[in-house]
Amino acid sequence: MSERYLDKTVLVTGAASGIGRAIAFAAAGEGARLILGDIQRDRLADTAAELRAQAAAVYHAGCDISNTAEVTELVNRGLEEMGAIDVAFANAGVLGPPGNVWTYPEDELTKILDINVVGTWRTFRAVLPGMIGRRRGIIVATASAAGVVGSAGLAAYVASKHAVVGLVKSTAMNVAPYGIRVNAFCPHMVDTPMLDKVTKEIPGLRESLDQQTPLGRVATSDEVARSALWLGSDESSFVTGHPLLVDGGLVAQ
């Protein structure tokens, strides 16, 4: 078993389900101590209870990343419990409903941008002072293949994930002198509860997503988590400011 995360404290937002949950379990399996946050408080408590059977230590708290105070509280209380944050996975985000640019509700656009972009920035801002003080640390943001290419009907989500990639690149340059690395991973569609919800609303979408991906299927949470953990490990020690595509060949077409 790999021990890349032995004696390291890992923060994961959006940890209750999907990619965040997979990252938390994968990191725990490699020796990590965990600080977990999610707006789904009951589901997060269940996830944390499961993780305590295998993680070195687990702290969890409900956290809405659109709420600055809750993000700050999660990080500060996590630091009190664990002493430091070595790796932060800024994973929490939403897809939002599909729609045309000319009819899309402005309040829905604002909500998506606030969660996906400003929420990621809130997470960065909360963890960076501690990392800068120690002159080391790694941040990994969950972006998307939609942060690299466009997608008809998902302009709000695409705009938010392009912004996440830009935030990652700029932050990476900003904090490189402190020995801190910042990267993003960019999956295409992943078999998560979020995808299940969308595909139930749009008949035939799941089949279409499988067909448009050169590997012929959507990704699993576990294989996406493995890519994220590589970025958060010392194995990627000379990688920063990079949006890693984990998309089954979608963007290569």
Side-chain angles (χ1 to χ4, degrees):
M1 179 186 296
S2 172
E3 295 185 337
R4 293 178 298 180
Y5 286 80
L6 187 64
D7 296 327
K8 291 186 177 181
T9 298
V10 173
L11 169 74
V12 187
T13 65
S17 62
I19 294 172
R21 176 185 164 92
I23 289 172
F25 274 92
E30 296 195 19
R33 298 179 294 267
L34 299 172
I35 301 169
L36 309 175
D38 200 295
I39 194 171
Q40 303 173 89
R41 287 163 167 77
D42 291 343
R43 183 174 287 184
L44 178 64
D46 292 341
T47 296
E50 290 181 53
L51 281 162
R52 287 192 175 94
Q54 59 180 281
V58 179
Y59 169 76
H60 76 280
C63 179
D64 176 357
I65 62 164
S66 68
N67 185 313
T68 299
E70 289 193 10
V71 175
T72 302
E73 177 75 3
L74 172 68
V75 171
N76 288 346
R77 288 294 302 276
L79 287 170
E80 289 174 9
E81 292 283 333
M82 305 293 185
I85 294 173
D86 298 291
V87 186
F89 290 96
N91 168 72
V94 294
L95 179 59
N100 298 316
V101 171
W102 58 94
T103 58
Y104 208 78
E106 183 174 342
D107 60 344
E108 193 65 44
L109 169 65
T110 301
K111 176 183 175 182
I112 291 168
L113 294 176
D114 185 47
I115 294 172
N116 291 357
V117 185
V118 186
T120 301
W121 171 78
R122 290 184 184 103
T123 307
F124 284 17
R125 186 176 67 168
V127 301
L128 277 171
M131 291 182 174
I132 289 170
R134 299 171 69 219
R135 300 190 73 84
R136 66 179 185 272
I138 301 170
I139 298 175
V140 182
T142 302
S144 170
V148 181
V149 296
S151 179
L154 289 174
Y157 180 74
V158 169
S160 74
K161 291 302 185 177
H162 271 69
V164 168
V165 170
L167 177 63
V168 162
K169 290 180 178 180
S170 294
T171 306
M173 290 187 290
N174 200 179
V175 301
Y178 301 99
I180 300 164
R181 297 189 294 111
V182 185
N183 291 292
F185 63 101
C186 301
H188 182 34
M189 292 298 179
V190 184
D191 194 2
T192 65
M194 181 187 293
L195 181 62
D196 286 342
K197 180 180 178 181
V198 174
T199 53
K200 286 177 182 176
E201 295 172 355
I202 307 174
L205 177 60
R206 179 58 184 264
E207 292 75 14
S208 175
L209 292 172
D210 288 342
Q211 292 168 7
Q212 69 183 241
T213 306
L215 287 182
R217 61 177 176 83
V218 300
T220 68
S221 294
D222 288 340
E223 61 193 346
V224 171
R226 288 194 293 272
S227 298
L229 257 64
W230 178 76
L231 286 174
S233 76
D234 293 337
E235 291 178 359
S236 60
S237 58
F238 206 62
V239 179
T240 197
H242 179 62
L244 176 67
L245 284 165
V246 191
D247 66 345
L250 177 77
V251 175
Q253 298 180 98

